[in-house]
Amino acid sequence: MKGRCARGFSLVEVLVAMTLALLLTLSMTTLHARVLRLSLDSAAAADAQDALRIALALLEYELAHAGYWGLVPDAATIEGRRGDAIPLEVTVSGDCGPDWSIDLDRPLQAWSSGWPLECAPYAGAPPRGGMLVLRRVETGTAAPEAGRLQVQADFWGGRLVADADALPPGYEGRDLVARAYYVSPRAIGDVSRPALRRKTLQRGPRLVDEEIMPGIAALEIELGVDADLPGDPGHGQADAFVAPETATAPVVAVRLTLRSHDAPGLVLTRTVPLRNGPLP
């Protein structure tokens, strides 16, 4: 009896198998690419959200302490401020206007757009969105230091100094904080990417411009105003949130909105009550 001859695959069968294998490989490659792209997009969105959260947390802290003067409850009792009969004679390098840094009677200022300061923004580029100016003292005490603007005070009053004046008995010294937050269309190292920046008072005394967080597209500000009189229901709470230019009643809260550049459509908003009482 003759043995059976072994039969292999025909050319057509081999071509069909190769085609199916190629299609399967292409499908797997496409699926992998999509998964990788979704993973990268998710990571970028998470990074963008973290950037907004960090920036908002910083601004929230600054707002919560606006108008804080240490032992002194009111800036009106601090000698040497801009609104005093005899303002402190001090030159602040790069200041944003005459006695801008020592304008303690205005611990909070805000604008919806534009550049209202006399100093120049970073790289001379007009900012995106609003601007927020905050003044206060640091929460921790500090020793007298030459070239550092400080408020020395007790419970009844204080004075503004810049020449390491010795602390009078019963006084505490705190470094003065004066900052202007805005969004520049140019980040460091990438002129096509915006960034949150601030003008801030430092040792010198001098005002420097520093980058806080890249990838922030815009800063939007609304002021919560309280028109209720003391003793009225709702006094101390915001009746409405309005554009800074239209606020006429005392400000008790600030609503901040940050928009992301790296994740278009991503927006975070936070409302911050002012801890140190209504601000004019």
Side-chain angles (χ1 to χ4, degrees), residues 110-112 220-227 238-256:
W111 294 267
S112 298
E220 299 172 4
I221 306 165
E222 293 179 295
L223 301 183
V225 295
D226 176 23
D239 299 324
F241 285 86
V242 300
E245 294 80 4
T246 63
T248 56
V251 178
V252 296
V254 178
R255 179 177 292 163
L256 297 175

Side-chain angles (χ1 to χ4, degrees), residues 74-136:
D74 189 351
T77 61
I78 300 176
E79 298 176 356
R81 71 191 191 284
R82 179 180 179 177
D84 191 23
I86 306 177
L88 178 69
E89 294 185 5
V90 60
T91 299
V92 178
S93 177
D95 211 0
C96 290
D99 296 333
W100 180 87
S101 293
I102 62 172
D103 191 4
L104 309 189
D105 293 312
R106 294 193 288 182
L108 169 65
Q109 294 176 282
W111 294 267
S112 298
S113 61
W115 185 260
L117 307 183
E118 296 184 22
C119 52
Y122 175 70
R128 294 183 177 182
M131 171 178 288
L132 185 65
V133 172
L134 302 165
R135 299 180 182 89
R136 60 181 177 88

Side-chain angles (χ1 to χ4, degrees), residues 137-213:
V137 294
E138 294 286 7
T139 55
T141 59
E145 180 181 353
R148 175 79 74 176
L149 275 167
Q150 297 177 317
V151 172
Q152 298 179 343
D154 60 11
F155 292 106
W156 295 274
R159 61 179 185 174
L160 194 62
V161 300
D163 296 322
D165 296 16
L167 283 169
Y171 273 50
E172 290 183 351
R174 287 179 169 82
D175 294 339
L176 179 64
V177 176
R179 290 172 178 153
Y181 286 88
Y182 69 100
V183 172
S184 170
R186 301 177 182 179
I188 295 176
D190 188 351
V191 297
S192 64
R193 192 178 184 215
L196 178 66
R197 301 186 63 87
R198 72 182 180 189
K199 299 278 187 181
T200 183
L201 182 64
Q202 291 189 357
R203 182 185 295 107
R206 62 194 179 102
L207 210 65
V208 300
D209 198 316
E210 58 187 19
E211 184 172 292
I212 302 301
M213 182 64 68

Side-chain angles (χ1 to χ4, degrees), residues 32-86:
H32 176 72
R34 289 179 178 177
V35 171
L36 181 60
R37 184 168 61 252
L38 288 174
S39 177
L40 293 175
D41 290 345
S42 297
D47 290 342
Q49 190 170 52
D50 286 343
L52 292 183
R53 286 175 175 172
I54 292 171
L56 270 178
L58 172 63
L59 292 172
E60 180 180 15
Y61 177 86
E62 293 276 32
L63 277 168
H65 291 83
Y68 171 71
W69 308 114
L71 297 179
V72 180
D74 189 351
T77 61
I78 300 176
E79 298 176 356
R81 71 191 191 284
R82 179 180 179 177
D84 191 23
I86 306 177

